[in-house]
Amino acid sequence: MRLPRTLLFPLCISVFSVIVVPLSSAQSVARRASTETLSAIPSPPRASVTAVRATGHITIDGLIDEPQWAAAPVINSFTQDEPDEGHPPTERTEVRILFDDEAVYIGAMMFDSAPDSIVARLGRRDSDLDSDAFGFYVDPYLDRRSGYYFAVNAAGSLMDGVLQNDTWDDDSWDGVWQARVHRGANGWSAEMRIPYSQLRFREKQSYTWGVNFRREISRRNETNMLVITPREETGFVSKFADLTGISEISPPRQIEATPYVLSRAAYTDAATGDPFNDGSTYAADFGADFKIGLSSNTTLNATVNPDFGQVEVDPAVVNLSDYETFFPEKRPFFVEGSTIFDFGSGGSNSFWGFNWGGADLFYSRRIGRAPQGSLPSADFADVPDGSRILGAAKLTGRVLDGWDIGAIQAVTGRSNADIANAGAVSRVEVEPLTYYGVVRGRKEYNDGYRSIGFLSTTAVRRFEDDRLRSEINSGAYTGSIDGWSFLGSDRMWVVTGWASLSHVTGTTERMVNLQRSSQHYFQMPDSRNLEVDSSATSLSGFAGRLMLNKQSGSWRNNTAVAVMTPGYEINDLGFQSRANLINAHTVFTFRWSQPSGVFRYRQINTAAFYTRDFDGNTTGIGIFSYGSVRFTNYFSIQAGGSMSPQRTSIRRTRGGPKTKEPAAYEIFGGMESDSRKKVVFEMDGSAYGSREERQVSLSPSVQFKPASNLSISVGPGFSNNQSVAQWVGRFDDPLATATFGSRYVFAEIDQKTVSGNIRMNWTFSPALSLQLYAQPLISSGSYTNFKELRRPNSFDFLTYGEEGSTFDEATYTVDPDGSGPAEAFSLSNPDFNFKSLRGTAVLRWEYRQGSTLYFVWTQTRDDYENDGTFDFAPSFDRLINAKADNIFVVKLTWWLSR
């Protein structure tokens, strides 16, 4: 399948011009534009602060009482960011900075005229708390785009993370540093000690870093900063003050080891006669993670026999579509430092997508995934939950004159399942030995004015059981480039783009299966350009996206055009829900960022979007509008809607002929109350309607804060989906000539779902916390009025039982033409009533710096009935009485550092 030249040429040229233009010429143009603009609009002077070398030991106790602090210059020129931008703060803040050969120290005094009104909420690390707090931001590379943040609230709870792309932050990184607070008659104070080993920077004689400070006064919803970003402008790290004074330091090389020991007990519902499970299993394990600073700006992470478990279970879902469900990564090894692997999202601060499933080139949950291979017929089977990761290493840092690099290498072992048939036990391979490799590089030029990057992924498998060769790709490879370029020195407009090639290999049988899979549907009988190649031993494709973004000012715009060829395939180490699309949109946004009357903030977005496939079918088209308002009492509401005319569906028949998609509308909205209050309410709802489908959903939630260290939230949800064309199955019949020799069967469905999200966070100290999470779910689906597609490219159906056809409701037997020549066929009863309860309890104790003891209890219980009737009370009773699987884990980690 080839990309049309009319699209391929301008797209490739556009991406090429954005990120592969000779850099000397690009820098010359950027310098010329910068000079012309700056001559007309003088830049404000950059603020500057100074650090002083500590002459003695600093005790981190929050008191700021060592005499060295008095020698440091006072930093007190803070400005309100919220609620009254540019105004003086309502309370005074004083900050001092010290350093020695091992660390930088921050001392902050937050004066308060009403110290009894200081809000000090206790929460576990990185919790989003409405509390008085103080934060320190630092850009050690002085690249004006990236860095770190360290924060502590008035109760002593810590927050930290990394800064990227000038305006974004990510709290998945956890550094090893210290902070303590003290509350007194004049307010509260904080001391921080941040070792150089936790930062990355180039070693030199003297340093200039970018820095900023932030103070939160919760009762006033007030934010004060050393340097603010006006609401009509963009940027954050790029506006930091210069920190000078740090010099002649000798930071030690970072060498850390975190060994762990783990004990696990599982008590599960065992089937009678199961030789592999008597209802209880016990296991113990150990391993270690290592972090080695190869230089002051490059770190190697390695792991031996890693524990890649996650402490919170994935939510239960009932997926009736042909799309895979995406679950976020929660395993620490992959989460920490993952921002270097972000692809295609630099430069711009706004990204929209309409009918654009996107392409996550690196989806780390593929490593250690559940085995993909099928099982032979068996009475009982014992299948591993996931492929065991034998070892993994991650290298991240900045090398070769400013290249940010990241690499992950991992090997998962061969997974075998034990099966039993008539008492005979055997073992079969369900996942082969697999190597995974990811390499990422990115370099910014001219102070982040322009960037170029690349990313490549590799998955290579070695099979022992040839049966799996027809089910799993033998190899998978991607090569991609991305980048951005600002269009003026004010950085108001930016062009961002990426392009990617994919190539997978396997047996001819495997490639046929892949071409026919839900991501590709090459077998569509009425496609002009697609067909299954039964002799292929590989599949290749291309994807790319080009975006233009106006990201400052009252009005803003995001426009994008994208393409993904039918053969593009990245699911071995990435995430992709579909291919075969050409997609475009434009979004206009207008913001009223200054308070006016009862409004504190207002915004409205209006968009138009369009999607087609490579046969020229319009698969998505419409208009969209969304608005949000925040009032002066910090109550917020949002509302929006979209409309789409009739279009074409190439997915409804799951690889069969195309159909019409009726015109549709959607409305949605929500509200939130003031998050500072002890009781916080939220509400979200939506409604969708068309000739085909009616959907309604409602999700209220309430959060209680009965004490400063306790938070309880309850969020029930309800949804009802009524569709006249829910997929049932495909049945071959050579007499069904109107639909290419197959009957595509659908039914009306009435699906009702009730769910809940219940959380409790109880924090006893900044180092000791208890978290409880539970998700009950009840979902039923009743299928009626079975029917078949009457002809392609229509939304017309023959309902069984009409026009001479028959349908036996007792046996689900269909005779599509009654006494005619077509053979009868049988359906299975698709009605369902699924109940699930999943929950986790985690007691976490950081008993020493960087070392943690976990006690984890996970419970799951499920129940299934072949009955589509929704009756809450009996369903809930069955769920409570269902046998539970209980897993208990105790894990101890010990952080060692040199």
Side-chain angles (χ1 to χ4, degrees), residues 340-420:
I340 180 59
F341 299 101
D342 291 345
F343 180 82
S345 58
S348 176
N349 62 10
S350 176
F351 290 87
W352 291 75
F354 297 87
N355 299 317
W356 169 247
D360 292 329
L361 288 164
F362 176 43
Y363 180 44
S364 57
R365 287 188 66 138
R366 301 298 189 202
I367 303 176
R369 69 194 302 174
Q372 304 171 78
S374 64
L375 286 174
S377 177
D379 297 329
F380 299 98
D382 182 20
V383 183
D385 294 331
S387 304
R388 186 171 185 81
I389 302 173
L390 302 179
K394 177 170 59 178
L395 177 69
T396 57
R398 181 166 292 184
V399 298
L400 301 176
D401 192 30
W403 277 92
D404 291 315
I405 56 98
I408 288 180
Q409 313 293 310
V411 176
T412 58
R414 199 177 313 279
S415 297
N416 296 299
D418 293 322
I419 61 175

Side-chain angles (χ1 to χ4, degrees), residues 349-596:
N349 62 10
S350 176
F351 290 87
W352 291 75
F354 297 87
N355 299 317
W356 169 247
D360 292 329
L361 288 164
F362 176 43
Y363 180 44
S364 57
R365 287 188 66 138
R366 301 298 189 202
I367 303 176
R369 69 194 302 174
Q372 304 171 78
S374 64
L375 286 174
S377 177
D379 297 329
F380 299 98
D382 182 20
V383 183
D385 294 331
S387 304
R388 186 171 185 81
I389 302 173
L390 302 179
K394 177 170 59 178
L395 177 69
T396 57
R398 181 166 292 184
V399 298
L400 301 176
D401 192 30
W403 277 92
D404 291 315
I405 56 98
I408 288 180
Q409 313 293 310
V411 176
T412 58
R414 199 177 313 279
S415 297
N416 296 299
D418 293 322
I419 61 175
N421 271 312
V425 175
S426 59
R427 175 165 290 187
V428 296
E429 184 182 9
V430 288
E431 184 76 21
L433 179 72
T434 306
Y435 161 79
Y436 296 97
V438 185
V439 178
R440 171 68 160 144
R442 180 182 62 222
K443 181 174 173 59
E444 298 179 6
Y445 298 88
N446 200 18
D447 293 330
Y449 186 89
R450 181 169 306 215
S451 173
I452 183 173
F454 66 88
L455 187 146
S456 68
T457 66
T458 302
V460 179
R461 299 181 174 90
R462 179 174 295 178
F463 299 91
E464 280 191 353
D465 189 340
D466 288 339
R467 175 181 56 88
L468 296 184
R469 294 182 184 275
S470 63
E471 302 177 2
I472 305 173
N473 298 331
S474 299
Y477 314 89
T478 67
S480 311
I481 57 174
D482 69 338
W484 72 80
S485 179
F486 288 97
L487 304 182
S489 63
D490 58 1
R491 307 196 183 202
M492 179 179 292
W493 290 89
V494 61
V495 178
T496 302
W498 62 267
S500 175
L501 296 171
S502 70
H503 182 72
V504 296
T505 62
T507 64
T508 55
E509 185 178 359
R510 170 56 190 162
M511 290 300 102
V512 167
N513 291 337
L514 182 60
Q515 292 173 78
R516 298 177 65 88
S517 68
S518 62
Q519 285 81 22
H520 304 285
Y521 288 146
F522 275 30
Q523 71 273 30
M524 290 187 292
D526 52 352
S527 173
R528 299 195 308 269
N529 294 296
L530 294 178
E531 62 179 357
V532 175
D533 182 353
S534 60
S535 63
T537 57
S538 65
L539 182 67
S540 301
F542 169 84
R545 201 173 195 217
L546 189 64
M547 294 154 279
L548 175 67
N549 199 57
K550 182 182 184 290
Q551 49 195 34
S552 61
S554 296
W555 77 271
R556 306 188 181 195
N557 175 255
N558 177 259
T559 299
V561 59
V563 61
M564 190 177 293
T565 66
Y568 189 70
E569 170 61 41
I570 62 172
N571 281 309
D572 288 84
L573 195 47
F575 188 93
Q576 166 199 356
S577 58
R578 59 178 175 171
N580 187 17
L581 58 89
I582 301 166
N583 175 270
H585 75 257
T586 186
V587 183
F588 288 93
T589 299
F590 194 86
R591 302 166 46 160
W592 294 265
S593 57
Q594 298 299 328
S596 176

Side-chain angles (χ1 to χ4, degrees), residues 168-370:
W168 296 353
D169 63 82
D170 178 6
D171 66 3
S172 62
W173 177 80
D174 286 330
V176 181
W177 56 286
Q178 293 174 275
R180 295 290 185 273
V181 299
H182 174 77
R183 296 201 295 273
N186 296 321
W188 67 285
S189 56
E191 282 185 311
M192 296 179 177
R193 180 184 185 274
I194 302 167
Y196 299 130
S197 64
Q198 303 303 300
L199 307 176
R200 289 180 181 165
F201 53 90
R202 299 184 186 91
E203 289 192 48
K204 56 180 71 174
Q205 183 68 20
S206 61
Y207 299 87
T208 300
W209 292 350
V211 296
N212 207 348
F213 302 99
R214 178 188 186 105
R215 180 184 177 182
E216 301 278 354
I217 305 175
S218 179
R219 67 182 182 275
R220 299 192 181 107
N221 255 336
E222 180 177 337
T223 301
N224 302 313
M225 304 200 69
L226 179 66
V227 183
I228 68 169
T229 299
R231 294 169 189 156
E232 297 300 328
E233 298 182 16
T234 188
F236 179 62
V237 180
S238 56
K239 299 183 182 297
F240 282 6
D242 286 341
L243 170 65
T244 60
I246 298 178
S247 62
E248 299 180 352
I249 60 174
S250 301
R253 176 176 293 185
Q254 177 190 18
I255 300 178
E256 300 177 8
T258 309
Y260 79 88
V261 293
L262 178 146
S263 176
R264 183 177 187 271
Y267 302 96
T268 58
D269 180 24
T272 303
D274 188 344
F276 308 117
N277 184 5
D278 63 0
S280 60
T281 57
Y282 305 92
D285 213 343
F286 65 91
D289 296 335
F290 301 92
K291 185 179 292 185
I292 303 171
L294 304 180
S295 67
S296 62
N297 59 353
T298 308
T299 302
L300 173 66
N301 294 72
T303 185
V304 176
N305 192 30
D307 169 38
F308 284 112
Q310 60 187 53
V311 297
E312 185 173 297
V313 295
D314 294 320
V317 294
V318 177
N319 186 355
L320 300 180
S321 74
D322 59 347
Y323 295 109
E324 178 185 2
T325 300
F326 181 92
F327 292 110
E329 179 63 86
K330 300 176 183 178
R331 299 171 296 179
F333 178 86
F334 292 111
V335 169
E336 293 180 7
S338 62
T339 55
I340 180 59
F341 299 101
D342 291 345
F343 180 82
S345 58
S348 176
N349 62 10
S350 176
F351 290 87
W352 291 75
F354 297 87
N355 299 317
W356 169 247
D360 292 329
L361 288 164
F362 176 43
Y363 180 44
S364 57
R365 287 188 66 138
R366 301 298 189 202
I367 303 176
R369 69 194 302 174

